[in-house]
Structure formats: C-alpha cells, structure tokens
Amino acid sequence: MRLDGPYVSLSHRWGSTSIAMTTQDTLAMFMNGVEVSGLPQTFQDAIIITKKLGIQYLWIDSLCIIQGDSKDWQHEAALMDNVYRNAVCNLSALGAESSHEGLFLPRNAELIRQPVVQVAWKDHPNETYAIIHKDFWTDRVDNAPLNHRGWVLQERLLAPRILHFGSEQVFWECHEVDACETYPHGLPKLLRKDHMIRFKALDLGSPATYPREHSPMDQVSVHDEYDIWHNIVKQYTKCALTMDGDKLVAISGIAKIFQSKLQDEYLAGLWRRILLPDLLWCADRVENEEKGRAPRRPNSYRAPSWSWASIDGVIQPFGHSSKFDYEKEAMATILDAKTSPVSEDPTGQVIGGMIRLRGVLYPEGLEIEHTNSRFGSIFDAHDNYITRLNYDVRPNLPTQTRTIYCLPLSFYDAGDDSVIRGLGLEPSGLGQGVYRRFGWFSVRSIEACKALQEETGDVEERRKLYCEEEDGVLVII
C-alpha cells in the first residue's frame, strides 16, 4: 500500500513484554482497522501527536513490517533509508523503557527551568549567573537507553527532524538546531561543542529537508565523507542489537546513501576504494573495557573475518584510510574483493565474502605466544620480541606458542616515527592459501621495524616483487 501524503515515523524500545504487531495471522484483521485502545501506550501517544501535527499517517515498525515473515522483513529492511528520510518528523520515545510506558511521562516541570544564582559583590553591582551542566545533552539524549540501540542510530541519522520525548522534557533535533524546553531557541554554545559535534550536522541530505544540491553533505570532500562514515561506524558499534544477524542490515540505510555519494562499492561495512587501509580497523580496548564487555564473534556467520561487522564490540576504524598514499605506504595489493549478499541488496546481510591479495606473509620464524589476555607476543626466529598481536576476540586457549602468519599492509615512513601495520592471520582449514583474520599488529619502534624487515629482507624490494609476480597471492575470508 502506497502512502498518499506526508507521514510521521516512530522510534521506540519494544521492551520484554509482547506488543501489538502485524503477522500473517493478523494482517487481514489489521487491514480492516486496529482498535487504538488495544495498542501500547507509546503507539497511542504517537497517534495523538501525529493528529495534532495535522498529519494523517504514522509509520511504526512492528505494525508496518510483517513480523516473522523473512521475505517481507528483507524487503522492508532494504527500504529503511527511504522510510525515515522521507518522514516529516520522527517521534522518539526517549524516556520509555518499553512501548507500554508512553511518550508523556510523569515529570517535575520545575526541572525544566535553567538554574540561576544571584551573586552579591561588595565593590561591584550584583549579577545573575546561569548554571549550565556541560554534559546536559550528552546525558539526556546521546546516552539515553533508546539511543544505544543499533537500529535507532540509523533512524536518528536519517530522519530530517526528531522530537525526543524524554523523562524530564522534550528535545528537538534537526539539521539546523538542537533545542529543548530548557533552551527553546537552541543549545548554548558551551553545550553545542560537547555533544558529538552536533549529531544532526552529519546530515545525509534528506529529501524531506533539502533539495539535493543544497545538502550539507554535498559540500564536503570525498575524504571527509569517508571520515564521516568511520565516525558513524564507531558510534554504531557502541550500540546493541537484539538479533546478531542485524549487524549489517541495521546500518544499510546509511550505507546506501554513502554508496550513492561516494560512487564506491560497499563490502560488508568497508569500501573498495580504500579497502587496504580500511582493513586496519581494531577493537577499541579502552571503550570496550569501560562498557565492561569483551569483543566476541556471533555464534552464526554474519560477515567475513576481515570486516568489523564480524565481531560485537566497539570498533575503531583506521583513521588514516581516506588519506592513505598507496604509492608510498601500501605493502600489499588488493587483486579482488567481493561479498555474497543474502538478497539483491548489496548493503544488507551477507553469507560470504573474500579478499584476494598479493602481499608478504611472514610465517617462518615468527611465532606468537598466546595467553588468556587480549594480546599475544610476536617473536622472531631468535626469540627476540618484535611487537604484540592484538586479538580481535580474546582466544579461549591455554598459554601456548605456535607459528602464526603476519601480513603487513602499510609502512608509514616517518624516520623515528615509522610504523608498520598489518593483520594477524590463521589458516582457515579450507585449503592452502586461505586465511581468516584474528587480530592486528603495529610495529612502531625503529628496532622492531628493522627486526621485522630483516626476517624477509628489504620491505620496499619485497613489495615491488610481490606486486609484479604471481607468488604471494592469498585469500582472506
């Protein structure tokens, strides 16, 4: 059924109890009408607001997508970019733990007022000062439980305007201003520079807000657009998903927009044009420790091991990707890369993926000492320590030593600050020359760089050799 007119969308937490949803069993009945009084309170409140706005239609995921129908879910999931980008406004149930609590939560209206203090000076006129909590927006909006949900980040980014119904007050986000009942004309400058550098300033060119030629995203360089994508990935990986298999799907709407703007091929969360440096993502140790959760791989296949989408945990993309100098820095050459999408949507779920490249593997003499910590230690043939290997996921292994494979990808030559970065690989068991990623390493000291180079000779000469010969070809899955 096609909508004939403007509509409002809703972001909400389903909660642990059952809510009204469309299934194959209820579809025919719902097509004839839904008893409003039987809907969760959040849905009822959203209907009231939609009517007050003079708008006829309201889009709610549990009602507008047939639940339990994988075919309909895949079809609708591929359209999420259009659903939220084209909504007049998105209603956010920011303060509700479930859809049964509603949007209009009990509150103390006195808390909306900005605190002020009167100061009496002995030798100067008395003055009035406003008290500003510097983490006001971060605590109440960015860190609200709803905005820690993976799907909601996409909804928040794509919607042109958002009304957040918090536990204390209503907040407003759009491309031009962030405001709330305390600051109805916009946040004070002190607050604007502290909360994610204005979330909605990452405007993706919503057709409901800007003509395409006037979109702020159209005014940044390609380099900046890749950097914006990396910032979104980091924020997204801080969020939680109920279903492990949604990792790529819940960000696919944003990926479609970037794919159109970048005119680049999307590969399970990475981009072909900057694929080599993009492989150098890592699990953010500090952020994961702060959240009290160790990175993990899902029980079922979700993405190739070289994709950040293959693990759960906060990811730090390689910040230098967009400005990577292939001529000077590359230590490997991508020959081919592809993924196998579940459907016709190249930004959605995948059932496989591979990268075929030519590089310099270091198997002989390089050993890794495994421990039950986050790191392993890489040694040369003479038992000299070179550097540590950072695991993507902590291995469930007793302390042991075994031969591993290191694949340098980049060599940044800056004299005393030179650094080699690469991946730790392990045999996949699927044939000779086929590997899986299980970690990353960086060699930063001059001595360690020399030690790694001496294992196989001059890095520059090796790079030239393996870029020209058929030898040195491997596959990562």
Side-chain angles (χ1 to χ4, degrees):
M1 178 180 176
R2 295 182 63 85
L3 294 181
D4 184 19
Y7 64 94
V8 170
S9 57
L10 175 68
S11 293
H12 64 109
R13 297 181 75 188
W14 287 31
S16 56
T17 57
S18 61
I19 62 173
M21 61 178 67
T22 302
T23 65
Q24 288 293 355
D25 293 334
T26 61
L27 179 60
M29 179 178 65
F30 282 6
M31 291 292 285
N32 290 324
V34 180
E35 185 63 45
V36 174
S37 61
L39 295 175
Q41 191 60 50
T42 298
F43 295 9
Q44 295 185 43
D45 292 347
I47 291 172
I48 292 172
I49 295 168
T50 302
K51 287 183 175 180
K52 291 286 188 181
L53 292 173
I55 296 173
Q56 183 177 359
Y57 298 107
L58 171 65
W59 193 95
I60 302 176
D61 52 4
S62 67
L63 297 179
C64 295
I65 300 175
I66 302 175
Q67 306 301 311
D69 186 319
S70 60
K71 184 177 180 181
D72 188 69
W73 184 85
Q74 288 181 4
H75 173 75
E76 294 296 328
L79 300 176
M80 286 301 99
D81 58 321
N82 290 323
V83 168
Y84 288 96
R85 289 178 76 205
N86 289 292
V88 171
C89 183
N90 185 57
L91 307 179
S92 164
L94 192 69
E97 293 291 330
S98 76
S99 293
H100 295 283
E101 294 184 13
L103 299 177
F104 311 126
L105 303 177
R107 64 175 186 172
N108 181 354
E110 291 297 318
L111 296 177
I112 296 172
R113 296 181 181 178
Q114 182 175 17
V116 295
V117 292
Q118 298 281 347
V119 179
W121 304 101
K122 186 176 285 188
D123 301 323
H124 299 280
N126 295 344
E127 294 183 87
T128 301
Y129 291 88
I131 299 175
I132 296 177
H133 175 32
K134 70 181 182 66
D135 296 322
F136 173 83
W137 190 275
T138 302
D139 289 347
R140 289 163 175 77
V141 179
D142 293 336
N143 290 337
L146 177 67
N147 284 332
H148 284 175
R149 304 303 301 171
W151 280 98
V152 173
L153 180 134
Q154 174 170 263
E155 296 163 9
R156 185 181 173 195
L157 252 181
L158 294 178
R161 309 167 189 86
I162 305 175
L163 272 172
H164 297 284
F165 291 83
S167 58
E168 297 176 358
Q169 60 180 296
V170 177
F171 302 85
W172 169 266
E173 276 187 300
C174 69
H175 302 304
E176 295 182 358
V177 68
D178 298 334
C180 59
E181 292 177 80
T182 302
Y183 305 108
H185 303 294
L187 297 182
K189 187 177 296 185
L190 176 66
L191 298 182
R192 289 202 301 269
K193 62 184 180 184
D194 265 346
H195 81 281
M196 278 185 61
I197 326 260
R198 284 222 59 239
F199 192 93
K200 292 301 289 179
L202 297 178
D203 168 46
L204 302 183
S206 169
T209 309
Y210 293 100
R212 181 170 175 80
E213 64 271 16
H214 296 141
S215 165
M217 270 287 284
D218 290 333
Q219 300 172 18
V220 300
S221 69
V222 171
H223 291 317
D224 291 335
E225 288 180 344
Y226 283 120
D227 291 339
I228 290 172
W229 170 260
H230 290 147
N231 288 334
I232 291 172
V233 166
K234 180 164 186 178
Q235 188 67 24
Y236 176 64
T237 57
K238 294 179 183 180
C239 300
L241 290 164
T242 302
M243 305 298 291
D244 280 345
D246 288 354
K247 192 77 168 187
L248 288 170
V249 185
I251 199 174
S252 64
I254 300 173
K256 286 183 179 68
I257 296 169
F258 273 84
Q259 188 175 42
S260 174
K261 291 178 178 294
L262 294 169
Q263 291 297 296
D264 198 356
E265 183 180 358
Y266 184 73
L267 295 162
L270 283 63
W271 299 99
R272 179 179 287 273
R273 194 177 296 147
I274 58 169
L275 184 54
L276 188 69
D278 242 6
L279 294 172
L280 292 170
W281 57 266
C282 64
D284 192 309
R285 177 175 59 84
V286 174
E287 294 240 19
N288 283 307
E289 286 181 349
E290 288 178 352
K291 290 182 175 291
R293 66 185 191 191
R296 71 175 187 93
R297 293 195 187 275
N299 295 325
S300 301
Y301 183 91
R302 185 173 66 197
S305 67
W306 44 263
S307 167
W308 54 261
S310 66
I311 70 170
D312 290 322
V314 183
I315 296 300
Q316 178 61 61
F318 183 48
H320 186 56
S321 291
S322 64
K323 301 172 182 67
F324 188 79
D325 189 331
Y326 277 85
E327 186 68 27
K328 296 180 180 179
E329 300 179 50
M331 296 183 70
T333 301
I334 304 283
L335 302 177
D336 190 18
K338 61 184 178 182
T339 57
S340 301
V342 170
S343 65
E344 295 181 358
D345 179 8
T347 64
Q349 283 180 299
V350 299
I351 56 175
M354 74 87 185
I355 291 176
R356 184 170 171 267
L357 57 79
R358 182 178 294 122
V360 185
L361 267 185
Y362 296 90
E364 295 97 2
L366 286 183
E367 292 189 324
I368 185 167
E369 182 180 352
H370 284 292
T371 67
N372 288 323
S373 70
R374 298 179 305 272
F375 315 113
S377 298
I378 301 176
F379 297 88
D380 65 15
H382 306 292
D383 292 330
N384 296 314
Y385 174 79
I386 295 180
T387 188
R388 74 184 185 190
L389 179 78
N390 302 268
Y391 301 133
D392 293 334
V393 176
R394 182 180 299 178
N396 295 319
L397 295 171
T399 301
Q400 60 173 293
T401 301
R402 68 174 183 181
T403 301
I404 53 91
Y405 298 84
C406 292
L407 175 66
L409 295 182
S410 77
F411 177 42
Y412 183 69
D413 188 357
D416 291 348
D417 294 324
S418 296
V419 57
I420 293 175
R421 296 183 178 90
L423 303 182
L425 304 179
E426 61 182 346
S428 67
L430 298 178
Q432 185 175 358
V434 182
Y435 303 90
R436 286 193 178 94
R437 168 180 166 146
F438 69 92
W440 64 277
F441 67 90
S442 64
V443 182
R444 292 186 174 273
S445 70
I446 298 176
E447 293 77 12
C449 280
K450 288 180 179 178
L452 188 55
Q453 289 177 0
E454 288 170 359
E455 289 297 316
T456 54
D458 182 79
V459 170
E460 182 66 26
E461 292 303 315
R462 300 283 296 188
R463 185 169 65 216
K464 289 179 180 177
L465 171 65
Y466 282 98
C467 286
E468 295 168 358
E469 303 294 334
E470 285 297 319
D471 296 337
V473 175
L474 62 142
V475 173
I476 309 176
I477 61 173

